[in-house]
Amino acid sequence: MSKLTDKSIVITGATGGIGAAIARALAADGAAITVADLSQATADTLAGEIATAGGKAIGVAVDVRERAQVRAMLDKAAEAFGRVDVLFNNAGIAQTRPFLDITEEDWRLVTDVNALGVLLGMQEAVKTFRQQAEAGHPGGKIINTASIAAKQGYEPLAHYCASKFAVVAMTQAAARAFGKEGITANCFCPGVVATPMWDVIDKGFRDNKLTTKENEAFDTFAATAVLGRASQPDDLVGVARYLASSDSDFMTGQSLMVDGGMVFI
Ligand SMILES: NC(=O)c1ccc[n+]([C@@H]2O[C@H](COP(=O)([O-])OP(=O)(O)OC[C@H]3O[C@@H](n4cnc5c(N)ncnc54)[C@H](O)[C@@H]3O)[C@@H](O)[C@H]2O)c1
């Protein structure tokens, strides 16, 4: 038995680099995972892999910008596993744009996924948690993936940073709003993690002639971590496990830096 045995945990962006690492690890801990991402097929593939390894998982298609889809995701998780204990709002996108080139369309694209998506996830999760409380099962945990970009403004990622600052703000507001109901909201802040997202960021640096070589932006950012290397997705598993388990029950409204020592706050 682990502290996560039979916990029903929903993860958005669950087939991406960080989400998949968390999904696999928490499933191995005994949690029942709802693998939620844009593609049903990809979500089903990861859920199948978890099941083959002896874990419990279902795949669900969700676009986190759409409230009805977020609602359906949580309902499917509750239907499959009896309830929802934890929601990871982890889906996100990045875009490299020099400050003066950010368009209204860029702003809306990035903030719709990274900020609105988190707001909708938190709102719908609280509705689920309240229904469960009426049925005698109070509480619930919301865990948001923020970033070092939630603590520092980086050029040329201003709109991405704004969306991640928003995640911290909403986490703190939700913690204050729902604490008395035993519902907690926390976030963790990765640094430079080797995932498909960084391929996009790195290409954006080259496309905008800010760097010339592949991985130059990635290596330059990663070199600022005092632990001396870029993160791998598995580096985020420990904090995810802690925030999802009862070990973090008396903590809410917090942002935990897990960046190898890039940003000290
Ligand atoms: N990679 C890093 O260095 C880094 C650093 C700090 C924070 N983060 C954050 O970590 C989270 C996970 O990122 P990652 O690095 O694993 O990237 P990734 O690109 O590997 O995964 C992101 C996942 O989100 C999904 N997604 C995108 N838009 C969606 C939408 N509208 N609805 C549902 N799912 C959607 C994608 O399909 C993908 O599977 C993101 O919130 C990201 O901002 C990443």
Side-chain angles (χ1 to χ4, degrees):
M1 281 280 280
S2 89
K3 286 179 175 158
L4 294 182
T5 301
D6 293 334
K7 294 286 179 198
S8 169
I9 297 179
V10 180
I11 306 174
T12 69
T15 67
I18 294 171
I22 293 171
R24 288 190 182 100
L26 301 194
D29 287 344
I33 307 292
T34 297
V35 174
D37 210 312
L38 285 170
S39 155
Q40 180 74 56
T42 316
D44 285 344
T45 299
L46 179 55
E49 183 200 306
I50 289 171
T52 302
K56 292 186 281 286
I58 58 166
V60 172
V62 69
D63 183 333
V64 297
R65 297 168 293 184
E66 299 293 333
R67 185 184 296 278
Q69 294 187 32
V70 173
R71 182 68 259 143
M73 168 187 76
L74 291 162
D75 289 344
K76 284 177 190 162
E79 194 181 310
F81 302 120
R83 61 180 185 275
V84 175
D85 297 299
V86 180
L87 170 63
F88 280 89
N89 288 305
N90 171 73
I93 58 169
Q95 194 185 50
T96 308
R97 285 278 189 279
F99 196 98
L100 293 180
D101 294 344
I102 297 167
T103 65
E104 292 86 336
E105 192 186 346
D106 294 335
W107 173 273
R108 289 189 187 106
L109 177 69
V110 170
T111 58
D112 273 6
V113 178
N114 296 359
L116 177 64
V118 171
L119 175 71
L120 297 179
M122 291 200 293
Q123 289 177 325
E124 295 305 317
V126 168
K127 290 178 194 168
T128 296
F129 295 153
R130 283 182 169 170
Q131 283 168 4
Q132 294 175 171
E134 279 174 24
H137 187 86
K141 289 174 179 280
I142 295 167
I143 303 165
N144 300 323
T145 308
S147 172
I148 50 171
K151 300 290 174 178
Q152 299 276 297
Y154 295 101
E155 217 275 338
L157 297 160
H159 54 335
Y160 177 76
C161 296
S163 73
K164 291 297 184 177
F165 271 65
V167 170
V168 172
M170 290 189 289
T171 302
Q172 293 178 358
R176 291 187 197 282
F178 308 115
K180 289 202 169 49
E181 298 172 58
I183 296 169
T184 62
N186 292 291
C187 53
F188 64 92
C189 301
V192 175
V193 193
T195 70
M197 174 173 283
W198 249 102
D199 296 339
V200 171
I201 297 172
D202 195 79
K203 182 174 183 305
F205 269 76
R206 278 176 278 131
D207 290 347
N208 287 288
K209 304 200 182 333
L210 299 167
T211 55
T212 52
K213 293 190 290 272
E214 196 168 339
N215 289 332
E216 186 181 340
F218 179 82
D219 291 340
T220 305
F221 268 85
T224 66
V226 300
L227 291 182
R229 64 169 176 83
S231 312
Q232 296 299 320
D234 280 347
D235 289 319
L236 285 316
V237 163
V239 73
R241 180 180 284 131
Y242 167 67
L243 290 174
S245 85
S246 56
D247 285 346
S248 61
D249 275 359
F250 199 56
M251 194 180 118
T252 194
Q254 303 304 312
S255 325
L256 297 180
M257 307 306 300
V258 189
D259 60 354
M262 296 181 74
V263 173
F264 294 162
I265 49 167

